[in-house]
Amino acid sequence: MNLRAPATSANLGPAFDCAGVALDLWNELEVTEAARPAAVEVEVEGEGADELPHDERNLTVRAYALFAEPAGKRFRCVNRIPLERGLGSSAAAIALGLAAARPGASLEELLAAGHTLESHADNLAAALLGGVTLTWDGQAARIADTLPLAPVAVVPTMRIRTSLARHGLPPTVPHGDAAVTVGRAALVGAAVAAGDPVLFAAALDDRLHEPYRPSPILAAIRAELPDGARGATLSGSGPTVIVWADDAARCAAALRERYPACSVLELRVSPTGALA
């Protein structure tokens, strides 16, 4: 069995903890019979090869074990999604394990099981479904195949654990900030439905999470957008910044010159996910 799952970017600015988008950067999983019947064999290549568990503690194997017995199986993971950069590497790992163990399961069943390993479903839904997704109350829907602007990822070398990043968020925010963010989140949905890049660029203002997750790169890009760009958002909890462009090649070239220490990835929205 061979499967793949995409990278994802959550929030899309103001759509905190509910919006996600699949990106054309893929992790792969091959599941075959192990050489020893009772063994769990795990091989990891690429990102995290020297640090991720090569046994039943591996996140993909743990997700697989929610539905099927991993003993007697060999899991070959080929990882291209950078770890702890806000690009959904954990969600991709979980999506691969779930899809491999339970082909044909409903989305709701997979989300409920995945919730035991990943408490926020926005990335997981996008990794499973592809395209642009919304999640609410344990449910999810793909609302579009693509977005009005192209994503260019600026990926720093530093890492951020999502669990630690959430500790910096305040328990409450001012009513005015909440109202602005709700309005912009609604505008995200309208922009996606209309395929309107002007509306989408206007929507990229958040007051719920981005102000409490300081990003010098995000601040600098917003202060001086590169050629070809319309706006920028923090990808998940960061540190990756997604620059939204109508000319991705020109934007990426400018960002590579500006941030030589970062990886700049010219990506596309993937209309498919692990369940495709």
Side-chain angles (χ1 to χ4, degrees):
M1 176 184 293
N2 293 277
L3 296 167
R4 62 179 195 159
T8 53
S9 183
N11 302 325
L12 302 183
F16 179 60
D17 273 1
C18 62
V21 58
L23 303 174
D24 193 21
L25 178 65
W26 299 84
N27 283 0
E28 298 178 6
L29 173 67
E30 179 185 41
V31 182
T32 56
E33 297 302 315
R36 295 172 294 157
V40 176
E41 300 175 357
V42 181
E43 179 183 349
V44 181
E45 301 176 17
E47 297 285 341
D50 296 331
E51 56 186 294
L52 294 175
H54 287 235
D55 54 26
E56 62 274 5
R57 297 171 298 157
N58 184 281
L59 190 55
T60 294
V61 179
R62 291 168 59 199
Y64 185 94
L66 294 172
F67 287 119
E69 175 55 62
K73 300 296 183 182
R74 176 179 177 270
F75 299 83
R76 177 174 175 264
C77 306
V78 179
N79 295 340
R80 299 182 182 89
I81 304 170
L83 304 182
E84 297 176 349
R85 303 300 211 288
L87 288 171
S89 60
S90 295
I94 294 168
L96 286 170
L98 295 175
R102 195 63 176 264
S106 69
L107 175 65
E108 290 75 18
E109 187 177 11
L110 296 180
L111 287 176
H115 185 76
T116 64
L117 299 174
E118 170 63 71
S119 59
H120 301 284
D122 43 5
N123 275 316
L124 182 56
L128 288 167
L129 291 175
V132 186
T133 60
L134 291 178
T135 57
W136 71 99
D137 298 335
Q139 302 180 69
R142 189 174 73 174
I143 62 171
D145 289 340
T146 190
L147 286 169
L149 295 171
V152 178
V154 181
V155 188
T157 56
M158 66 175 291
R159 297 185 180 191
I160 294 178
R161 287 185 179 272
T162 301
S163 57
L164 296 178
R166 295 192 76 87
H167 289 324
L169 301 182
T172 61
V173 298
H175 190 278
D177 286 348
V180 167
T181 303
V182 167
R184 294 302 194 279
L187 194 56
V188 168
V192 172
D196 190 324
V198 175
L199 288 181
F200 188 71
L204 304 179
D205 178 18
D206 166 76
R207 310 280 178 90
L208 291 185
H209 73 103
E210 287 180 347
Y212 307 100
R213 291 167 166 168
S215 168
I217 293 177
L218 178 61
I221 289 174
R222 282 179 169 168
E224 185 181 352
L225 287 174
D227 291 343
R230 295 286 194 96
T233 56
L234 198 63
S235 187
S237 58
T240 293
V241 172
I242 302 293
V243 183
W244 300 98
D246 47 19
D247 188 336
R250 188 155 57 112
C251 175
L255 289 168
R256 290 188 183 104
E257 184 175 350
R258 192 186 298 188
Y259 299 104
C262 296
S263 296
V264 176
L265 307 177
E266 189 179 337
L267 300 170
R268 295 177 299 170
V269 175
S270 171
T272 59
L275 297 183

